[in-house]
Amino acid sequence: MEIISRVDAASEGLTRFYTGKKCRHGHLSERFVSNGVCVACGIKASTAYQKRITTTMREARERLAEVR
């Protein structure tokens, strides 16, 4: 991957940039221009959030079924 700074990527209209450095969690991947988050960390957080929402909705449906 080509190393490009966040500012340069933003000025070129890109959505991601690459520093060549690891994030605080050890991922060596691109980062989002909008918030600077590592793409791998973003995917991991998104997956965890989706799992929590699925669990919460399942529990809510079960409680609703008990009430009816």
Side-chain angles (χ1 to χ4, degrees):
M1 275 184 238
E2 180 182 338
I3 293 177
I4 183 170
S5 72
R6 184 176 183 180
V7 173
D8 291 341
S11 67
E12 292 181 21
L14 302 174
T15 58
R16 294 181 288 183
F17 67 102
Y18 181 69
T19 61
K21 299 177 185 176
K22 293 182 180 181
C23 74
R24 69 173 77 180
H25 299 287
H27 303 122
L28 189 60
S29 67
E30 293 178 312
R31 295 172 178 262
F32 292 109
V33 170
S34 61
N35 56 15
V37 172
C38 159
V39 172
C41 288
I43 290 170
K44 186 175 180 181
S46 177
T47 302
Y49 176 75
Q50 290 172 2
K51 187 174 181 178
R52 283 195 315 269
I53 291 298
T54 300
T55 301
T56 301
M57 292 303 293
R58 185 181 316 114
E59 291 171 356
R61 283 191 296 270
E62 289 171 357
R63 283 190 222 133
L64 184 60
E66 290 174 1
V67 173
R68 289 182 180 184

